[in-house]
Amino acid sequence: MIATQSEHFDIAAFLRDAGLGRKIIRLKAGQPFFAQGEAALFGFYLQAGSAKLTVISKRGKEATLMLLKVGDFIGEEAIAGVVGLRISNATAVTACTAMKIERAAMVRVLHDESAFSEMFLKFVLLRGIRTQEDLVDQLFNSSEKRLARTLLLMAEFGKPGEPEMLIPPVTQEALAEMIGTTRSRVSHFMNRFRKLGYIEYNGRIHVNKSLLNVVLHDQLPEQNPSRPIIIDPPRKPSERATSRKLMSNAGQH
């Protein structure tokens, strides 16, 4: 939770207590904060629980953009200069408590309170970095490694203080949607992680620090065959000769 505060403005209280243009909402797992295509009139600050951002294609295919945790803003695009439409869905993964902030109230405090503006700018920059990391994860990592990273994010590894070893309740179906694979694959990976001692679960999932080895050092008993090959394979002599001829002809023009 954010505890920074200016001399005359209590940021923590603004994000914690209901007031003018702000109210506390509670959602059950699976309930939406907002839907794709709706007008962006509100922003949210997540006080408890976890959520996710998703997009749905015209053909009905859903993709998860990001997992959201306590201390995150949701739908911050509502403060843009012109009110637009939501380009994604925000949904509670677990039971959530959030501060719902009207656009006008958010714009006012950003304009009037420099401490809040500084905190929010830092959040936006970190969100941008996180988005790039998620894109790299989706492009180059196997579904097994994406699952490991998702579990670590839900356990809040990397945040100051001790991580939450016991992550919020989440189904295998939800995990499959988050990483873009099937429930059966998630079940297979979870059983594998448990056998290797990376996780424990009996109703709730307990994440061990050893799972970091999967993400940081690729320390799995064998390489996942679904992981893409980034380096091009060696070409045949005939292909190399053709390539040299094409380059030579290009140089003559």
Side-chain angles (χ1 to χ4, degrees), residues 23-81:
K23 67 177 182 179
I24 295 173
I25 64 169
R26 292 177 173 81
L27 282 73
K28 297 178 180 179
Q31 285 189 306
F33 286 88
F34 53 78
Q36 194 171 326
E38 289 182 353
L41 301 175
F42 300 90
F44 301 85
Y45 178 77
L46 193 56
Q47 297 178 342
S50 59
K52 63 178 179 178
L53 289 180
T54 63
V55 291
I56 300 177
S57 71
K58 292 181 179 179
R59 295 182 178 181
K61 184 177 180 180
E62 184 179 65
T64 298
L65 300 177
M66 182 175 292
L67 295 176
L68 304 168
K69 57 186 183 300
V70 173
D72 280 344
F73 287 93
I74 307 173
E76 65 276 6
E77 68 273 9
I79 66 171

Side-chain angles (χ1 to χ4, degrees), residues 113-162:
E113 305 296 340
S114 59
F116 186 89
S117 296
E118 181 180 348
M119 177 274 294
F120 187 74
L121 176 60
K122 182 179 179 181
F123 165 81
V124 171
L125 292 173
L126 291 174
R127 170 66 62 84
I129 294 171
R130 167 78 181 283
T131 300
Q132 293 181 43
E133 292 174 346
D134 289 346
L135 179 59
V136 170
D137 188 44
Q138 287 290 333
L139 289 176
F140 298 119
N141 289 333
S142 67
S143 53
E144 187 169 21
K145 190 171 180 179
R146 294 201 303 271
L147 176 60
R149 182 171 180 268
T150 297
L151 294 174
L152 290 167
L153 287 172
M154 294 185 73
E156 299 188 1
F157 275 85
K159 284 187 64 178
E162 288 296 317

